[in-house]
Amino acid sequence: MSSTQPARLLVVDDSLDILDSLELVLDDMGYAVDTARSGREALERVRSAAYGLVLCDIGMPEMNGWQVAREIRAVSPGTKVFLLTGVADQIAEDDPRLGLVHGGLPKPFEIDWLERFLGEQLFV
């Protein structure tokens, strides 16, 4: 992340509490953060701005995280998409949908861990 242009992140979750919390934490880390409360809103944002990374909840109404990842890949193939889920252990290692994303992140996670993770992903 350069001092003049912070990495731009998009956080997608239907829970306003999670969005607000992650936005505050990521902003404190120095990232430019946008949020979306639905898959459709996320796609509108991806079509209008470039994101280095998207953190998307897997379990949302109307459009789940897998569907969001598929659409983002079509619109912005260079954007890294990671799914956030409380049931990461329930996703089979050979699930073909994993090809749509760069990985899955278990919820909840520690802030220090998230900071290291993002540093590794955005500068690789």
Side-chain angles (χ1 to χ4, degrees), residues 4 7 25-26 40 55 65-66 87 100-101 106 124:
T4 58
V25 167
L26 294 170
R40 297 203 191 293
L55 299 174
W66 297 111
V87 292
L100 299 171
V101 297
V124 175

Side-chain angles (χ1 to χ4, degrees):
M1 183 169 44
S2 76
S3 59
T4 58
Q5 187 75 23
R8 187 171 201 79
L9 306 178
L10 177 62
V11 180
V12 187
D13 202 303
D14 57 325
S15 167
L16 189 55
D17 290 339
I18 291 173
L19 282 181
D20 288 345
S21 297
L22 277 173
E23 183 176 28
L24 286 172
V25 167
L26 294 170
D27 185 60
D28 284 348
M29 289 180 191
Y31 295 105
V33 183
D34 290 329
T35 61
R37 290 194 64 193
S38 71
R40 297 203 191 293
E41 185 180 348
L43 294 175
E44 289 173 15
R45 292 194 180 283
V46 168
R47 287 183 182 109
S48 64
Y51 293 97
L53 191 139
V54 175
L55 299 174
C56 183
D57 184 31
I58 202 170
M60 297 185 296
E62 295 182 31
M63 185 177 224
N64 67 38
W66 297 111
Q67 294 166 316
V68 173
R70 181 179 296 113
E71 295 295 323
I72 288 174
R73 187 174 187 152
V75 172
S76 180
T79 300
K80 291 184 178 183
V81 178
F82 288 86
L83 296 179
L84 303 173
T85 178
V87 292
D89 59 337
Q90 295 179 13
I91 300 171
E93 290 181 26
D94 61 349
D95 189 319
R97 298 175 296 179
L98 288 171
L100 299 171
V101 297
H102 287 80
L105 304 178
K107 290 194 294 189
F109 40 78
E110 298 291 323
I111 292 172
D112 290 344
W113 178 88
L114 179 62
E115 188 168 23
R116 282 190 310 276
F117 171 80
L118 290 174
E120 292 169 2
Q121 292 302 318
L122 289 168
F123 304 109
V124 175

